[in-house]
Amino acid sequence: RRWVRDPATVIQALVYPAVTLVMLHIVLGNRITAATGTPAVYGMVPLVVLIGAMFGSVVSAVGLRAERESGLLSRFYTLPTHRAAGLVGRLMAELIRVVVTSLVILAAGIALGFRFTQGFGSGLLLLVVPLGFGLGFALMVTFLATLSTRLPLVELVSTIATLLMFFNSGFVPVMAYPRWLQPFVEHQPMSCAIDTMRALAEGGELARPLLETVAWSVGMIAVFAVPAARGYRRAAENG
């Protein structure tokens, strides 16, 4: 509810991704469609959904750091609630944000020609993909936000997100990249998730990208869940 009342969060989570999708479609859509022979919107919509999940987590992490510096996080930690309530509640809010952002982007995509050709069940599964990806990314960003306040959080995460955003299979096929770069582009987490969502919407190979997406999502959660919980507790106790 607090995020809904924050204009910066609403713009970053809802308005910015939808506008980004429309601009990409206007500037690059026809050229990509002509070059690849398939509608570009089927790659752009998953790409922007994942971008929304990532950059929304950055805004949340900046808010977490501000709560730590102001002492609000410590005051929340002293309330008579379960110690995990603060972190779990934040992650639940992240998942809700990802769902709402994904629905807004999908609505914009449908207006641009995006369709669910594989049925209702595949459409529902398509929404699960950014949830797993977003949860793993949110845990990583939360962990980074609880480290030293001197860490350039926004710059670091934005650099990682930008690299993943431009070198993936959402714009053009993997074969369009230089040969030495193709293995990275094909198997990086955004490409796996994009290929999975594209297959669920348009059809095509599903098993490989789906398994890789699950592996990336579960891997990020497994690696960052405990450090994020410990970092959140340390930040709350020492804030």
Side-chain angles (χ1 to χ4, degrees):
R1 290 199 298 267
R2 180 169 58 83
W3 287 351
V4 171
R5 295 192 295 267
D6 181 14
T9 302
V10 173
I11 292 173
Q12 188 71 34
L14 300 180
V15 179
Y16 174 74
V19 172
T20 299
L21 174 61
V22 174
M23 290 192 301
L24 287 175
H25 183 75
I26 293 174
V27 176
L28 299 174
N30 291 336
R31 294 184 179 182
I32 294 176
T33 299
T36 62
T38 58
V41 71
Y42 285 100
M44 288 183 176
V45 169
L47 171 62
V48 177
V49 166
L50 298 179
I51 292 173
M54 290 192 298
F55 282 96
S57 294
V58 175
V59 175
S60 173
V62 172
L64 174 60
R65 176 169 286 184
E67 292 175 5
R68 175 188 181 182
E69 294 175 352
S70 67
L72 181 61
L73 192 63
S74 297
R75 290 196 292 272
F76 281 152
Y77 204 65
T78 60
L79 294 176
T81 58
H82 195 282
R83 293 301 188 189
L87 179 59
V88 172
R90 182 175 292 273
L91 293 176
M92 290 175 63
E94 284 285 343
L95 295 179
I96 294 173
R97 178 191 58 76
V98 170
V99 170
V100 175
T101 301
S102 300
L103 291 175
V104 171
I105 295 171
L106 286 172
I110 290 173
L112 297 174
F114 187 85
R115 296 293 183 268
F116 297 97
T117 65
Q118 304 303 302
F120 181 74
S122 295
L124 288 180
L125 184 57
L126 185 149
L127 283 174
V128 176
V129 175
L131 281 177
F133 180 90
L135 178 59
F137 193 84
L139 284 169
M140 181 191 73
V141 176
T142 299
F143 165 66
L144 294 176
T146 60
L147 296 177
S148 172
T149 55
R150 297 177 182 176
L151 180 71
L153 174 65
V154 175
E155 292 80 1
L156 176 62
V157 178
S158 295
T159 300
I160 296 173
T162 300
L163 287 174
L164 296 179
M165 182 175 66
F166 281 101
F167 296 100
N168 61 68
S169 60
F171 285 120
V172 294
V174 174
M175 299 303 296
Y177 290 91
R179 186 178 298 275
W180 60 269
L181 190 59
Q182 290 178 13
F184 167 77
V185 174
E186 182 177 7
H187 300 292
Q188 63 112 319
M190 281 192 70
S191 290
C192 300
I194 290 169
D195 292 343
T196 300
M197 297 170 72
R198 193 205 312 261
L200 290 170
E202 187 184 21
E205 182 186 6
L206 177 61
R208 181 196 61 79
L210 178 59
L211 290 175
E212 290 187 356
T213 300
V214 172
W216 272 111
S217 300
V218 173
M220 286 191 292
I221 294 171
V223 169
F224 292 107
V226 173
R230 290 177 176 173
Y232 189 90
R233 182 182 64 186
R234 183 173 58 252
E237 291 176 345
N238 301 329

